[in-house]
């Protein structure tokens, strides 16, 4: 049942019981998804979506020309610290509201229907942009592998076809149910950690020559066309900020996780700090192993890290490490499809999307939202279409992910801060650190949202403009227009089938 704008759960204490099915009913939903994921699996899905072997590797070439080694290394360290603050603050709100809707549900409960509406649309844009960015990056690396092995020359058209094949693979895997997704994510954690160790170890011990510490931590490179080094360094933070996104996956899978009020919150935080350490080691290992900077940037493979592998280890070693990276990226994309499809399902469950009646359907055999899976991969395919015509489109796709999903992280955090003592924490809480960490998170998100709407290359023309801002504008306009169509039917429900619901109806509250 839809409710009014009164954020009831912001002022009413949740039940003391930690029975997650009972808590879900208290939050308004009848459980329909299979709760088959444990705490490690929940952490694993966010860690897999962050995927340092996806984000760091696919945007490494972007980083080489947008600030160079110093911005990549110091930017990673600084961005990771701020993102950890965002994750800590978001985890606290997730503990109070463990639902598949996650960010938009939190915003709706804490601020009202419009807050939830726009948060949901931003979150959806970011998640779908993430699928496009991750799987297109995997397609680029697959093309580089084929180039090393068989002399295949990647073109925009062939790369796009590989991208579509990867999307179909991920759709198929997600249709088998959350148990398979959980198993794959658990394998993914160890694949990523061992993969980073193997790559860094190989690059540290095999090459005869390495770059100096001074080169890795102080070299600044500007190939953007912009003269201001501070602007360039700021734009260069996209590598780190793009990689550090997607940890809300733990929240989106909370209706399929045991003891989600605690494990989903822990999953968010753990995925960030483990990725922070692993990513720094990976970026340092790659950068120390660069043999020819210009040659790396202009690699015939189309993928600078592949050229680093090739120069440092030879074709056999390069091919082996590329396979490690590609498999990690496939794990990452599969996890992102799972998270995005749950967001589509949840948003449709509350009648927020056109065709909601279709997208919220769940398979009786696998308890998986099948139509939502297909919608997620279909829209991701459309988002990557500009890559057929623009060399800078991939950077824009990654920026779409950042400017969509990052504001969606901050909105429930801001509303939690605004609610003050009206907000009742769940079993996982920051205590007295909640407000200072929350405000750091909100300010950081506001900064990066503006930053990644700005143009990345100069001069700005059709080929170099940042299309992310257009995607953001289109989604906000669509959300605003659709609000006037669906506002009467959209709304998060009150407690499902409970005495509380009957009492509130009697009192005229809902």
């Amino acid at each position: 049942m839809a409710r009014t704008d009164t954020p009831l759960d912001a002022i009413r204490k949740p039940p003391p019981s930690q029975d997650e099915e009972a808590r879900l009913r208290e939050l308004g939903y009848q459980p329909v998804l299979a709760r088959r994921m444990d705490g490690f699996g929940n952490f694993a899905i966010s860690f897999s979506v962050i995927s340092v072997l996806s984000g760091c590797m696919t945007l490494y070439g972007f980083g080489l020309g947008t600030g160079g080694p110093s911005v990549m290394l110091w930017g990673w360290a600084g961005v990771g610290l701020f993102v950890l603050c965002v994750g800590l603050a978001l985890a606290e709100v997730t503990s109070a509201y463990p639902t598949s809707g996650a960010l938009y549900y939190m915003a709706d409960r804490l601020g009202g229907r419009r807050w939830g509406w726009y948060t949901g649309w931003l979150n959806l844009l970011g998640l779908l942009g993430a699928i496009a960015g991750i799987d297109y990056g995997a397609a680029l690396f697959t093309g580089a592998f084929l180039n090393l092995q068989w002399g295949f020359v990647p073109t925009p058209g062939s790369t796009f076809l590989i991208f579509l094949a990867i999307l179909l693979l991920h759709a198929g895997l997600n249709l088998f149910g959350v148990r398979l997704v959980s198993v794959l994510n658990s394998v993914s954690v160890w694949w990523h950690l061992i993969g980073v160790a193997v790559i860094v170890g190989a690059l540290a011990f095999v090459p005869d020559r390495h770059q100096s510490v001074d080169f890795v931590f102080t070299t600044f490179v500007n190939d953007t066309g912009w003269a201001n080094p501070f602007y360039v360094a700021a734009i260069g933070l996209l590598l780190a900020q793009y990689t550090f996104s997607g940890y809300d996956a733990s929240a989106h899978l909370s209706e399929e996780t045991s003891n989600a009020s605690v494990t989903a919150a822990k999953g968010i935080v753990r995925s960030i700090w483990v990725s922070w350490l692993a990513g720094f080691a990976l970026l340092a290992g790659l950068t120390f192993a660069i043999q020819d900077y210009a040659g790396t940037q202009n690699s015939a493979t189309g993928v600078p890290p592949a050229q680093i592998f090739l120069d440092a280890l030879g074709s056999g070693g390069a091919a082996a490490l590329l396979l490690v990276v590609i498999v990690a990226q496939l794990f990452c994309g599969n996890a992102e499809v799972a998270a995005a499809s749950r967001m589509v399902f949840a948003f449709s469950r509350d009648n927020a999307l056109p065709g909601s009646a279709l997208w919220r359907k769940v398979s009786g055999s696998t308890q998986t939202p099948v139509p939502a899976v297909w919608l997620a991969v279909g829209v991701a395919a459309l988002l990557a279409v500009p890559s057929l015509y623009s060399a800078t489109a991939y950077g824009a796709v990654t920026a779409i992910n950042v400017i969509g999903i990052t504001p969606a992280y901050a909105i429930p955090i801001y509303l939690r801060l605004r609610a003050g003592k009206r907000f009742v924490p769940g079993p996982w809480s920051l205590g007295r650190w909640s407000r200072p960490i929350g405000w750091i998170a909100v300010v950081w998100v506001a900064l990066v949202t503006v930053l990644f709407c700005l143009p990345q290359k100069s001069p700005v023309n059709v080929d170099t403009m940042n299309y992310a801002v257009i995607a953001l504008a289109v989604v906000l306009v669509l959300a605003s227009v659709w609000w006037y169509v669906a506002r009467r039917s959209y709304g998060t429900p009150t407690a499902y089938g409970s005495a509380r619901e009957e009492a509130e109806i009697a009192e005229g509250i809902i």
Side-chain angles (χ1 to χ4, degrees), residues 32 82 104 107 112 117 132 176 196 204 229 237 248 274 288 301 315 332 342 366 381 389 394 398 410 419 425 439 492:
V32 295
F82 286 113
Y104 88 85
W117 178 268
F176 281 100
V196 168
L237 297 179
D248 58 313
V274 174
F288 273 112
T301 66
S315 59
C332 174
R342 270 51 175 190
T366 63
Y389 312 102
Y394 182 66
T398 58
W439 281 116
T492 60

Side-chain angles (χ1 to χ4, degrees), residues 344-402:
V344 171
F345 159 76
F347 215 26
S348 299
R349 181 172 58 182
D350 291 330
N351 296 306
L353 295 179
S356 286
L358 171 61
W359 311 125
R360 64 173 172 253
K361 289 183 177 179
V362 176
S363 166
S365 59
T366 63
Q367 293 180 278
T368 299
V370 173
V373 170
W374 287 114
L375 180 65
V377 297
V379 175
L382 292 176
L383 286 176
V385 167
S387 65
L388 290 167
Y389 312 102
S390 170
T392 60
Y394 182 66
V397 169
T398 58
I400 286 172
N401 170 230
V402 172

Side-chain angles (χ1 to χ4, degrees), residues 39-421:
F40 184 82
N42 186 275
F43 149 74
I45 192 167
S46 283
F47 182 75
S48 297
V49 172
I50 292 175
S51 181
V52 296
L53 286 174
S54 180
C56 290
M57 302 295 271
T58 54
L59 280 186
Y60 191 80
F62 174 87
L64 288 175
T66 314
S70 61
V71 172
M72 284 194 285
L73 271 297
W74 292 113
W76 181 269
V79 169
L81 179 61
F82 286 113
V83 169
L84 185 59
C85 290
V86 178
L88 286 165
L90 185 63
E92 181 178 54
V93 190
T94 296
S95 179
Y97 303 104
T99 71
S100 294
L103 310 180
Y104 88 85
Y105 181 90
M106 302 170 197
D108 186 286
R109 281 304 198 223
L110 290 167
R113 294 170 70 233
R114 283 214 186 199
W115 280 104
W117 178 268
Y118 282 100
T119 301
W121 279 94
L122 287 170
N123 190 196
L124 188 59
L125 171 66
L127 288 167
L128 296 174
I131 296 174
I134 293 162
D135 281 1
Y136 194 84
L140 289 171
F141 272 72
T142 302
F145 175 78
L146 296 174
N147 176 268
L148 283 178
Q149 290 296 95
W150 296 288
F152 172 81
V153 180
T155 65
S158 61
T159 301
F160 194 80
L161 289 176
I162 297 171
F163 165 66
L164 293 179
I166 293 172
L167 284 177
L168 290 174
L169 170 65
H170 287 154
L173 290 172
N174 271 271
L175 296 181
F176 281 100
V178 75
R179 187 181 297 278
L180 176 60
V181 172
S182 182
V183 169
L184 290 174
N185 289 331
S186 297
V187 174
S188 172
V189 171
W190 299 111
W191 186 275
H192 275 81
L193 293 176
I194 295 172
V196 168
V198 168
I199 290 171
V200 173
L203 294 178
F205 294 108
V206 175
D208 295 327
R209 174 181 171 272
H210 291 89
Q211 299 291 341
S212 66
V213 172
D214 182 68
F215 171 87
V216 171
F217 289 98
T218 66
T219 301
F220 181 85
V221 178
N222 179 12
D223 295 331
T224 65
W226 297 108
N228 189 318
F230 295 103
Y231 181 86
V232 174
I235 296 299
L237 297 179
L238 177 63
L239 181 153
Q241 188 64 51
Y242 167 67
T243 305
F244 279 119
S245 62
Y247 44 86
D248 58 313
S250 289
H252 288 296
L253 272 291
S254 59
E255 289 184 33
E256 296 159 88
T257 301
S258 301
N259 193 25
S261 297
V262 174
T263 53
K266 288 183 176 180
I268 290 172
V269 177
R270 287 174 178 169
S271 67
I272 294 171
W273 70 257
V274 174
S275 298
W276 191 15
L277 298 176
F280 189 85
L282 178 63
L283 289 172
L286 283 169
T287 309
F288 273 112
I290 292 175
Q291 305 296 306
D292 177 359
Y293 202 94
T296 298
Q297 287 182 290
N298 302 303
S299 173
T301 66
V303 176
Q307 192 63 46
I308 294 174
F309 296 160
L310 186 61
D311 293 342
L313 308 174
S315 59
L321 293 191
L322 273 177
L323 275 179
V324 171
V325 174
I326 291 168
V327 172
Q329 292 171 340
L330 294 177
F331 278 130
C332 174
N334 190 64
E336 186 61 38
V337 170
S341 62
R342 270 51 175 190
M343 173 59 195
V344 171
F345 159 76
F347 215 26
S348 299
R349 181 172 58 182
D350 291 330
N351 296 306
L353 295 179
S356 286
L358 171 61
W359 311 125
R360 64 173 172 253
K361 289 183 177 179
V362 176
S363 166
S365 59
T366 63
Q367 293 180 278
T368 299
V370 173
V373 170
W374 287 114
L375 180 65
V377 297
V379 175
L382 292 176
L383 286 176
V385 167
S387 65
L388 290 167
Y389 312 102
S390 170
T392 60
Y394 182 66
V397 169
T398 58
I400 286 172
N401 170 230
V402 172
I403 68 172
I405 208 166
T406 308
Y409 291 156
I411 292 172
I413 297 171
Y414 165 73
L415 293 173
R416 176 262 174 277
L417 294 169
R418 192 181 72 167
K421 293 182 179 179

Side-chain angles (χ1 to χ4, degrees), residues 125 395-397 399-401 403-404 449-456 460 465-477:
L125 171 66
V397 169
I400 286 172
N401 170 230
I403 68 172
T449 301
V450 173
L451 190 61
F452 299 129
C453 285
L454 301 176
Q456 299 165 350
V460 180
M465 76 172 294
N466 186 349
Y467 290 96
V469 69
I470 296 177
L472 177 63
V474 168
V475 166
L476 291 177
V477 169

